Amino acid sequence: MNAGVQRGRYRAVLTGAGGGIGAAIARRLAPQAELLILVGRQRVPLEALAAELSGTRVEIVCGDLCEDATVAKVAAAARQGAVNLLVNNAGVSGFHAFETQDAQAIRRLVDTNLVAPMLLTRALLPQLGLAPGAQVVNVGSVFGALGFPGFAAYGAAKAGLAGFSQSLRRELADTTIAVRHFSPRATRTAINSAAVDAMNRELKTAEDTPEAVAEAFMRFLAGSAAQHVVGARERFFVLLNKLLPGLPDNAIRKQLVQIRKHLPR
Ligand SMILES: NC(=O)c1ccc[n+]([C@@H]2O[C@H](COP(=O)([O-])OP(=O)(O)OC[C@H]3O[C@@H](n4cnc5c(N)ncnc54)[C@H](OP(=O)(O)O)[C@@H]3O)[C@@H](O)[C@H]2O)c1
């Protein structure tokens, strides 16, 4: 075990734990965790993951995080387990021409990626306030900081999550709870449709494995930076987009013909 890695340091709630990035994070977090509360809608992948993580106390909370009852169940488990880390990782994506994107799908994107992590965070704050060195880590996306065609609703929700993370971090700056934001770039998981995979291949978009993202996540978790974007090139483009948004506007405009070939409408 590396210097600085403390066994049993975390008592964590991890949402979306049955998914690609979530399961990879759970495997990396487990050796440093006294308790992992794995949250997702489907029980089977959560149970399979729990069976792998022998040596760590694991609990499963199964339910839809867009429902108040699930948030209440997770909060009760977190209180019981004296949780000191909340990782809001559950998410859904939606690659579609915005004009014809289904209204329900848009609501679901905002509910799952923004409203659910906000309400779960709110429900856990009383418990996190009792735990020294507590952290909330929100998993966003590069597309929350660098708007991309086909991801207007997803990007809006993830941009909202980044804004929420920053505002709450500042609101809680005189408490012991740190609020942090971690943004993966394209990662090979089931969240990406065949159309997104095909577009990424055509655009030669850099893609990470979930394991590489989990490794970056663990480095971030051990440090103290408020936010992190995975990928040096993506970090550069996010900064450029803030300072001179016209440059990425022009670069992405040149890719539109290729993007539209894959964009469901
Ligand atoms: N993969 C990428 O390219 C990429 C890039 C940037 C950011 N991200 C972000 O990384 C995070 C993890 O994504 P991933 O790539 O690992 O996707 P994934 O494999 O599809 O995993 C997402 C997980 O979220 C859970 N989830 C979705 N909606 C939920 C809900 N309403 N209630 C409870 N759980 C819910 C799903 O659990 P169930 O299946 O059990 O419902 C699933 O296990 C997401 O926030 C995503 O936006 C991913």
Side-chain angles (χ1 to χ4, degrees):
M1 202 171 278
N2 297 333
V5 171
Q6 283 172 254
R7 184 167 281 281
R9 174 182 185 180
Y10 299 114
R11 295 182 304 280
V13 167
L14 171 62
T15 70
I21 293 173
I25 289 176
R27 291 185 189 103
R28 296 297 302 258
L29 200 52
Q32 297 182 51
E34 185 187 324
L35 168 68
L36 281 182
I37 300 175
L38 309 177
V39 186
R41 287 170 301 187
Q42 301 176 70
R43 185 166 288 280
V44 172
L46 296 177
E47 281 179 347
L49 179 63
E52 272 181 52
L53 306 176
S54 56
T56 304
R57 200 175 121 217
V58 176
E59 289 176 22
I60 290 173
V61 178
C62 213
D64 184 341
L65 282 162
C66 296
E67 291 174 4
D68 293 344
T70 306
V71 171
K73 270 200 283 182
V74 178
R79 265 194 309 278
Q80 183 77 23
V83 152
N84 61 9
L85 171 64
L86 165 62
V87 184
N88 280 310
N89 165 74
V92 288
S93 187
F95 178 56
H96 206 280
F98 183 67
E99 190 178 344
T100 52
Q101 196 165 19
D102 179 64
Q104 271 309 105
I106 293 171
R107 286 202 182 90
R108 189 79 191 163
L109 279 164
V110 177
D111 268 2
T112 310
N113 293 319
L114 177 57
V115 180
M118 289 173 71
L119 294 182
L120 186 62
T121 301
R122 191 182 65 148
L124 263 64
L125 283 180
Q127 165 52 40
L128 293 169
L130 300 174
Q135 301 195 44
V136 176
V137 182
N138 293 321
V139 177
S141 166
V142 166
F143 286 167
L146 183 68
F148 201 81
F151 290 98
Y154 176 77
K158 290 296 192 181
L161 188 66
F164 167 64
S165 306
Q166 187 177 76
S167 297
L168 189 65
R169 172 167 62 255
R170 292 174 181 172
E171 185 171 325
L172 300 182
D174 60 355
T175 75
T176 55
I177 307 171
V179 182
R180 309 172 68 200
H181 186 253
F182 175 83
S183 301
R185 61 180 177 182
T187 308
R188 277 177 233 109
T189 73
I191 205 171
N192 293 316
S193 63
V196 172
D197 288 340
M199 178 182 71
N200 285 345
R201 273 196 302 277
E202 177 156 359
L203 298 179
K204 298 188 170 51
T205 305
E207 280 183 293
D208 292 313
T209 61
E211 291 70 30
V213 176
E215 204 173 309
F217 177 89
M218 293 306 295
R219 276 197 302 274
F220 173 69
L221 190 64
S224 58
Q227 56 203 27
H228 180 71
V229 174
V230 177
R233 196 164 176 271
E234 286 71 14
R235 278 195 293 281
F236 171 73
F237 278 113
V238 164
L239 181 64
L240 188 69
N241 194 46
K242 270 190 197 142
L243 300 175
L244 299 164
L247 294 180
D249 275 356
N250 288 336
I252 294 170
R253 166 79 181 80
K254 289 186 184 131
Q255 295 179 315
L256 259 183
V257 171
Q258 288 165 296
I259 295 167
R260 286 225 169 89
K261 273 203 298 197
H262 303 282
L263 188 62
R265 34 187 67 253

